[in-house]
Amino acid sequence: MKRRKTPSVRIGNVTIGDNHPIAIQSMTNTDTTDKKATAAQILQLNTAGADIVRITVNDDAAAKSVPQIIEHVRKFSDVPIVGDFHFNGNLLLRKFPDCAQMLDKYRINPGNANQKNFCEMVDIALKNKKPVRIGVNGGSVDENILSQYMEKNALQKIPLPSSRVLEQAVIDSVLESSQTALQLGIGQKKLILSAKMSDVNSVIRVYEALAKKTDLALHIGLTEAGSGDEGIVKSTLALGTLLQQGIGDTIRVSLTPEKSQSRTREVEICQQILQGLEIQRFKPSITSCPGCGRTSNEEYLQLASLLNKKIVQKKAEWDQKFPRAKNLRIAVMGCVVNGPGESRQADIGIAFPGKTEKPLAQVFLKGKHHKNLTGDDIDQQFLHILEDYIHTSCR
């Protein structure tokens, strides 16, 4: 798919836009004043694959903590760290110049800052040579602007649904704020826009409209997506639809974490979306059989599970020693119907026997039959073949 052409924007050591790789973002949910926990979560997210991490800077104590957090992170990583500002960002950036200087980017929500405060934050960004993300959210559009749009719509002969009016208010708010920032001298290579909604169709329409109205880099995501499968499915639908159209220079999946769930789940889903669309690859992919009345045993289920665990365990090692391993396509199939075909299409595949087939599993390498496996340890035999393949073919 052809990416939308945008100016490149440098955020710390990461460049987005202009056909650079799509950057994955996440945000800490620790109290920023807990410097140790916040630094640890930044590093955890970065290790999981987050290219950019955002932290809340909401009061004096948080702003005062930022330099120490960044100093600690820099001992281990150069991941860009973004400050998230609402309401009082101009005061905090002015009062704590070390915070303003050490952050790699400022996120400003114009819906939570009046024009004077917004302009002051942009001015501070200019002085510190920092990029800015103007991030408008459907839940925090300026109430005066939204009221005007609603009143105007009510006077129409056929009024639009309120959700459509909200979409237009969000679009116009982010575009007007970007024009203000550009007039202040921020420059296209220092500006990123986002316009997040919590409804899948709304966020798609909003970003499609923005992509037609501006060439600036876009950070895309569904805000307040929810938790569990619902949040993942909604985010995947929204991001997948936009990415397929070449829209999006950075992405985030905003999940409500479930109990004991790591924040890194957001990053994992982003990677799966990008890999599923063949935009970027992060690890070997597995095509596996769902099972049906033909499948005679659970060996293929066990092997698929073992492979997923092995990929997680070995990813860091493979990334370092066998960089081509992330491009591997592995097939684990349960019977003769699709088994040999899918296995031949993969780099390495195995087709287990169904109920009416001979009790042997066929292994394929690069489209050709390699050998048959029998016995009670077929899964371990296949894992050994996989390891040998990676060591010989993925350097």
Side-chain angles (χ1 to χ4, degrees), residues 14-29:
V14 172
T15 303
I16 65 166
D18 193 28
N19 280 322
H20 286 88
I22 294 169
I24 294 173
Q25 296 195 31
S26 189
M27 184 176 183
T28 59
N29 60 355

Side-chain angles (χ1 to χ4, degrees), residues 197-200 221-236 252-256:
M197 313 286 285
S198 58
D199 175 78
V200 173
L222 185 78
T223 191
E224 286 92 42
S227 62
D229 290 347
E230 181 179 5
I232 293 170
V233 170
K234 287 168 63 178
S235 295
T236 302
R252 182 189 175 194
V253 168
S254 301
L255 292 178
T256 303

Side-chain angles (χ1 to χ4, degrees), residues 138-256:
S140 54
V141 181
D142 184 287
E143 290 185 9
N144 293 325
I145 293 175
L146 185 56
S147 294
Q148 292 172 18
Y149 275 70
M150 290 296 184
E151 290 171 6
K152 185 177 179 181
N153 181 62
L155 297 174
Q156 301 300 311
K157 194 169 184 179
I158 305 177
L160 294 171
S162 59
S163 59
R164 291 301 186 96
V165 180
L166 174 60
E167 291 169 19
Q168 194 57 55
V170 167
I171 293 166
D172 291 349
S173 176
V174 73
L175 290 174
E176 288 170 10
S177 296
S178 67
Q179 284 304 307
T180 298
L182 290 168
Q183 289 167 9
L184 290 169
I186 196 73
Q188 289 189 331
K189 291 193 173 185
K190 292 286 187 183
L191 201 55
I192 304 105
L193 307 183
S194 69
K196 295 186 178 181
M197 313 286 285
S198 58
D199 175 78
V200 173
N201 290 317
S202 288
V203 83
I204 291 170
R205 284 192 292 262
V206 164
Y207 276 107
E208 287 175 340
L210 281 177
K212 292 176 182 176
K213 294 173 181 288
T214 180
D215 294 327
L216 293 171
L218 295 177
H219 168 68
I220 65 172
L222 185 78
T223 191
E224 286 92 42
S227 62
D229 290 347
E230 181 179 5
I232 293 170
V233 170
K234 287 168 63 178
S235 295
T236 302
L237 287 169
L239 290 176
T241 302
L242 293 169
L243 290 167
Q244 275 280 22
Q245 300 179 66
I247 299 171
D249 302 290
T250 77
I251 65 172
R252 182 189 175 194
V253 168
S254 301
L255 292 178
T256 303

Side-chain angles (χ1 to χ4, degrees), residues 12 33 63 96 124 139 197 205 244 276 280 393 395:
T33 59
F96 299 96
I124 294 170
M197 313 286 285
R205 284 192 292 262
Q244 275 280 22
Q280 290 162 218
S393 304
R395 293 185 184 276

Side-chain angles (χ1 to χ4, degrees), residues 76-94:
F76 307 95
S77 170
D78 56 2
V79 60
I81 299 173
V82 180
D84 192 62
F85 295 98
H86 299 267
F87 308 109
N88 59 351
N90 60 313
L91 301 176
L92 297 174
L93 288 167
R94 189 172 66 234

